[in-house]
Amino acid sequence: MANKESQTVSEEITTHPYDALTPEVVLDAVDSFGVVASGSLLALNSYENRVYQVGLDEGEPLIAKFYRPGRWSSEAILEEHAFSHALQEHEIPVVAPLKGENGESLFEHAGFRFALFPRRGGHAPELSDFDHLEWLGRFMARIHAVGASGEFEHRPTLGVAFYGRPALDYLLENDFLPSYLASEYQSLAEQMLQRVDAAFAELPNLQMLRIHGDGHVGNVLWREGPHFVDLDDCMTGPAIQDLWMLLSGERHEMVMQLDALLMGYEEFFEFDLRELTLIEPLRALRMIYYAGWLARRWSDPAFPMAFPWFNSERYWEEQLVALREQLLRLDAPPLTLGA
């Protein structure tokens, strides 16, 4: 199987859409916005899209984000932009795309859709610092308050139908799993997806709102406070999706972190404590989705270089262990405040 996969990757390297995104195309795209690129170009750490810091002859560098062809519709990208601008208008520290002379924020050049952003520096927040967590909770609540004031029409809704089932089907239909592991992986994943569906079904009248969607520490930069970046995965979902990825460590540590987050959160938006039962189901969903995401992107030459451990027999064996452990976590009592 490894030889087959290596051959597939090497054959597709020369035909991947991003092969056409040369430095010249990037610089010309930025110039088309009405600025003059200096020729300074720095590729940033992004795999789903291609993101560059582009120096200008005059002024601060810009961040140019080239959307992965075929992933989102233009309507979905524009909803992401509109949400970012709405948050910014409410003085929430989100890095929103720049607008052109006619108010447009999504541009096209040489067949690529792209957006430009101001450069914002910073470092990751200290999640061991409860003051940082409380601050993050306040801003997440403000994001959700704006999110609750409208609806997405073109963005996905968090759940098995969009994030779980397609990922598992892709893995199985494209023979990513070694034959001796495929049956057990499928069985464990199916059990997990059923549990995720059941967890959502057990929460009648669950509020689903516009959320950041990928609220891990890598999407928060800290400089005298937090600012949020990369709303590429904004979606409709429960509030807890933007909080649970900020929790880590042993159970007692996560409880203390959660206390701090919600102390800040509830200053601005009410949190439904029932959503705490979704933390482990959402973790399970993300595990399956992440494996499927890597598989879908495996023909992109950036992925085998960045994730060389993926798609090895050892990787899938470790995944089986992780899925078994996650099923046990699904049976454990959910986190509760102060417990």
Side-chain angles (χ1 to χ4, degrees):
M1 180 178 173
N3 290 336
K4 174 185 174 183
E5 289 302 322
S6 298
Q7 181 181 6
T8 301
V9 170
S10 64
E11 287 173 350
E12 295 186 3
I13 283 176
T14 58
T15 60
H16 194 274
Y18 275 135
D19 292 343
L21 189 61
T22 62
E24 292 77 13
V25 170
V26 172
L27 295 174
D28 287 346
V30 174
D31 283 345
S32 72
F33 183 70
V35 296
V36 180
S38 66
S40 171
L41 190 65
L42 176 64
L44 301 181
N45 186 24
S46 176
Y47 303 106
E48 182 62 17
N49 305 293
R50 294 294 190 269
V51 182
Y52 303 89
Q53 178 178 293
V54 182
L56 304 181
D57 276 354
E58 297 182 3
E60 290 291 315
L62 295 179
I63 304 301
K65 173 181 178 179
F66 291 82
Y67 288 89
R68 177 172 291 272
R71 185 188 184 213
W72 296 127
S73 67
S74 293
E75 291 81 4
I77 295 172
L78 289 171
E79 278 197 329
E80 170 208 333
H81 291 187
F83 188 39
S84 298
H85 289 131
L87 296 173
Q88 195 173 66
E89 289 166 7
H90 283 79
E91 299 183 344
I92 298 170
V94 167
V95 181
L98 300 174
K99 295 182 180 181
E101 292 182 355
N102 299 315
E104 71 276 28
S105 58
L106 182 62
F107 308 95
E108 186 170 342
H109 180 78
F112 290 99
R113 294 169 300 171
F114 72 98
L116 298 174
F117 298 80
R119 183 181 65 170
R120 294 287 185 269
H123 56 84
E126 296 290 341
L127 297 186
S128 59
D129 186 325
F130 290 167
D131 288 336
H132 281 204
L133 287 170
E134 191 173 336
W135 206 336
L136 285 168
R138 287 196 292 269
F139 277 119
M140 280 299 190
R142 292 179 60 193
I143 289 174
H144 293 168
V146 174
S149 67
E151 297 180 351
F152 285 138
E153 294 182 20
H154 304 283
R155 306 294 303 184
T157 296
L158 181 62
V160 168
F162 188 88
Y163 286 94
R165 174 56 55 190
L168 178 57
D169 288 348
Y170 189 89
L171 291 170
L172 298 173
E173 292 168 4
N174 291 276
D175 297 324
F176 274 87
L177 286 136
S179 58
Y180 71 97
L181 299 177
S183 178
E184 184 178 2
Y185 183 94
Q186 180 178 8
S187 175
L188 291 170
E190 292 279 7
Q191 292 177 60
M192 287 172 62
L193 294 181
Q194 291 171 8
R195 298 288 296 274
V196 174
D197 268 337
F200 274 88
E202 289 170 3
L203 298 180
N205 304 314
L206 174 66
Q207 185 177 23
M208 302 287 279
L209 59 156
R210 295 179 297 173
I211 59 174
H212 184 290
D214 198 22
H216 60 76
V217 69
N219 283 333
V220 182
L221 294 176
W222 198 278
R223 179 190 285 179
E224 299 178 354
H227 57 273
F228 298 87
V229 299
D230 194 9
L231 270 77
D232 195 63
D233 287 296
C234 65
M235 64 180 76
T236 299
I240 191 62
Q241 171 66 10
D242 281 346
L243 300 176
W244 74 264
M245 279 182 276
L246 298 173
L247 308 177
S248 62
E250 299 296 327
R251 182 182 176 89
H252 70 277
E253 294 173 304
M254 290 193 289
V255 167
M256 290 189 293
Q257 294 160 6
L258 183 63
D259 278 341
L261 277 171
L262 292 184
M263 186 176 297
Y265 189 95
E266 293 200 312
E267 291 181 25
F268 291 93
F269 199 66
E270 183 177 359
F271 181 77
D272 183 352
L273 290 176
R274 298 181 305 158
E275 292 188 24
L276 297 181
T277 63
L278 294 177
I279 291 177
E280 294 307 328
L282 290 174
R283 193 190 311 277
L285 184 62
R286 188 174 179 85
M287 291 169 65
I288 297 170
Y289 174 78
Y290 186 70
W293 174 70
L294 289 172
R296 286 194 186 97
R297 302 294 181 251
W298 203 233
S299 64
D300 181 339
F303 275 69
M305 290 189 295
F307 308 98
W309 38 261
F310 175 70
N311 207 32
S312 64
E313 290 188 357
R314 179 177 178 180
Y315 170 80
W316 291 115
E317 289 170 354
E318 291 174 346
Q319 283 297 293
L320 283 181
V321 173
L323 264 59
R324 294 189 200 108
E325 292 175 348
Q326 187 59 27
L327 276 172
L328 294 176
R329 291 192 187 98
L330 290 172
D331 288 328
L335 291 183
T336 55
L337 295 182

